[in-house]
Amino acid sequence: MSYEEKSSWIYATVAIAMPAIYFTGILGQVSQAPVQQIEYVIPMLTAVGVAILASIVANIVLGIFSSKVTRRTDERDAEIRRRGFNLGFLVFSVLMVVPLIMALAEVPHFWIANTIYAAFALTGFSYSVLKIASYRRGF
């Protein structure tokens, strides 16, 4: 498995695990209190920060234990990265229509912010899954 593929696995894991933990905790409160009373800003910023930190640390550890030969990239890696980025951009663009409509409909900020966070998470996950599939099956 190449360094780029391992890095994609890290990103996919973090992109799905941290939002899952966040949403489990936050959405569990929806049935207990009105959304205007739910404190979601600090937990969301913490989840984003922890996800970034976890991804950085995991990639540093990966870099330490990977040889220089496995860290080399070639045209295939660049093409897979480009395709993943293009898919991520498409997914994000489509998903961002939902919070835009919600904002226009004056839905509470709680729902808009969480929808945007979900869009970021799904974008990162889809980006990584496409890259992993491309490495596994070829492009």
Side-chain angles (χ1 to χ4, degrees):
M1 189 180 315
S2 73
Y3 177 83
E4 289 285 328
E5 184 180 354
K6 289 176 186 175
S7 182
S8 294
W9 276 103
I10 291 169
Y11 196 72
T13 303
V14 171
I16 205 69
M18 284 312 302
I21 293 167
Y22 166 79
F23 284 121
T24 300
I26 292 298
L27 295 180
Q29 298 177 36
V30 171
S31 63
Q32 300 168 356
V35 293
Q36 294 84 356
Q37 295 178 356
I38 296 174
E39 177 56 45
Y40 67 92
V41 176
I42 299 298
M44 184 184 294
L45 293 175
T46 302
V48 170
V50 168
I52 291 169
L53 186 62
S55 183
I56 290 170
V57 169
N59 275 292
I60 288 171
V61 170
L62 176 62
I64 290 170
F65 292 107
S66 296
S67 69
K68 288 185 179 181
V69 174
T70 60
R71 285 185 274 171
R72 289 187 193 150
T73 59
D74 56 15
E75 301 84 32
R76 179 176 179 242
D77 294 316
E79 178 65 19
I80 289 172
R81 193 176 311 113
R82 185 187 65 77
R83 284 182 166 195
F85 180 80
N86 288 343
L87 175 73
F89 179 77
L90 176 67
V91 168
F92 188 68
S93 298
V94 169
L95 291 176
M96 288 308 292
V97 171
V98 176
L100 175 63
I101 292 169
M102 292 170 78
L104 295 172
E106 299 181 5
V107 172
H109 291 152
F110 173 87
W111 294 113
I112 296 169
N114 282 291
T115 304
I116 291 171
Y117 182 47
F120 276 116
L122 291 171
T123 298
F125 185 70
S126 64
Y127 167 79
S128 297
V129 167
L130 175 74
K131 285 177 62 176
I132 292 166
S134 294
Y135 278 111
R136 294 290 170 149
R137 300 206 172 139
F139 56 86

